[in-house]
Amino acid sequence: MTRQLAERPEDVPAVFAERFNHGDAEAVAEVYESGAVFVPEPGTPLTGQRLDAANGRFLDLRLPITVRPRHVYTTGDLALLIVDWVIDGTDPDGRPVHIQGTATDVARRGRDGYWRYAIDNPFGVRTEPDGQESP
């Protein structure tokens, strides 16, 4: 069973991580509002099906993500989340994987009262890949 959506903005990363770690692409997609933006690598904002496909490539690694919120700043129905995260382990092909970042994310409370990502920017202010290939 997957965790319900976040009732507080500071819970969005944990909800995402739990759903991600279960490998459930549909459950992960529910953590994003309609029209959300995902930036799987610096300078590459994606929406819609391209967002889902990019998240799918991370899920295909079949490795857990660990998240640690650093700061959460909220005003009304918007929140800025600064979150340290890491995906570490060996992928299904036996290759070592270590991907990490400090996300700068924006979450918004929906009409249903739940918080979802409006912008998921996992590499924050990084302007170039750090040598680790994105999935």
Side-chain angles (χ1 to χ4, degrees), residues 8 11 45 47 52-53 78 82 84-85 99 104 123 126 131:
R8 303 176 318 158
D11 295 333
T47 60
D52 294 336
L78 288 176
I82 309 299
D84 296 316
W85 62 273
I99 309 169
T104 54
F123 296 102
R126 190 180 304 162

Side-chain angles (χ1 to χ4, degrees), residues 57-63 89-97 135:
R57 288 189 289 279
F58 283 96
L59 286 167
D60 288 345
L61 294 171
R62 296 187 188 146
L63 294 171
T90 303
D91 74 10
D93 295 327
R95 293 180 298 222
V97 174

Side-chain angles (χ1 to χ4, degrees), residues 10 13 68-73 79-84 102-103 105:
E10 58 266 30
R68 195 181 87 236
R70 188 187 301 189
H71 302 290
V72 178
Y73 303 110
L80 173 65
L81 303 122
I82 309 299
V83 181
D84 296 316
T102 299
D105 298 331

Side-chain angles (χ1 to χ4, degrees), residues 8-75:
R8 303 176 318 158
E10 58 266 30
D11 295 333
V12 175
V15 169
F16 175 87
E18 181 177 304
R19 290 167 177 238
F20 183 95
N21 292 342
H22 276 95
D24 186 340
E26 288 182 23
V28 168
E30 291 173 355
V31 182
Y32 293 85
E33 69 177 26
S34 176
V37 173
F38 176 51
V39 187
E41 61 185 58
T44 308
L46 304 175
T47 60
Q49 292 178 340
R50 293 178 66 207
L51 178 156
D52 294 336
N55 258 330
R57 288 189 289 279
F58 283 96
L59 286 167
D60 288 345
L61 294 171
R62 296 187 188 146
L63 294 171
I65 189 169
T66 302
V67 297
R68 195 181 87 236
R70 188 187 301 189
H71 302 290
V72 178
Y73 303 110
T74 305
T75 180

